[in-house]
């Protein structure tokens, strides 16, 4: 996905790192880069908002249950399918 505008951090890189960003697993420089990009890029912000909402929903309803090992893989696969559909 790309909004077509130039950014210091490309859209594809931001979207690839959304989960590590949401999990707080990036260093402060990387966090700042992604926040800056999201402030500038509506399509990525929209995608980020959707993924954050899904993650919160899963955490709320499955927070105390063990997560099936293949769940993350299935979710990421579906996100990639949606991205591909949106790019067409």
């Amino acid at each position: 996905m790309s909004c077509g505008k130039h950014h210091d951090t490309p859209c594809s890189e931001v979207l690839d790192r959304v989960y590590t960003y949401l999990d707080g697993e990036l260093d402060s420089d990387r966090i700042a880069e992604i926040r800056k990009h999201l402030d500038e890029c509506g399509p990525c912000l929209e995608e980020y908002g959707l993924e954050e909402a899904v993650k919160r929903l899963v955490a709320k309803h499955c927070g105390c249950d063990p997560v099936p090992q293949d769940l993350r893989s299935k979710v990421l696969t579906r996100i990639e399918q949606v991205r591909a559909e949106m790019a067409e």
Side-chain angles (χ1 to χ4, degrees):
M1 169 193 243
S2 176
C3 67
K5 297 179 184 176
H6 172 75
H7 299 283
D8 293 336
T9 307
C11 296
S12 59
E13 186 176 329
V14 169
L15 295 174
D16 287 343
R17 297 182 187 276
V18 164
Y19 284 105
T20 53
Y21 173 78
L22 291 173
D23 289 338
E25 296 175 356
L26 299 175
D27 62 46
S28 58
D29 291 337
R30 246 8 214 157
I31 289 170
E33 289 174 9
I34 290 177
R35 280 187 185 157
K36 180 180 182 221
H37 182 99
L38 292 172
D39 286 343
E40 297 172 348
C41 185
C44 285
L45 183 59
E46 186 176 313
E47 182 78 11
Y48 163 76
L50 173 63
E51 290 186 27
E52 183 177 29
V54 168
K55 184 172 180 158
R56 285 184 184 172
L57 181 65
V58 169
K60 179 180 177 183
H61 293 286
C62 302
C64 45
D65 296 333
V67 177
Q69 289 184 328
D70 65 337
L71 177 60
R72 180 179 170 90
S73 176
K74 288 179 181 179
V75 169
L76 291 174
T77 299
R78 182 62 185 135
I79 289 170
E80 287 302 317
Q81 290 171 344
V82 170
R83 282 186 190 157
E85 290 169 8
M86 290 175 65
E88 292 176 358

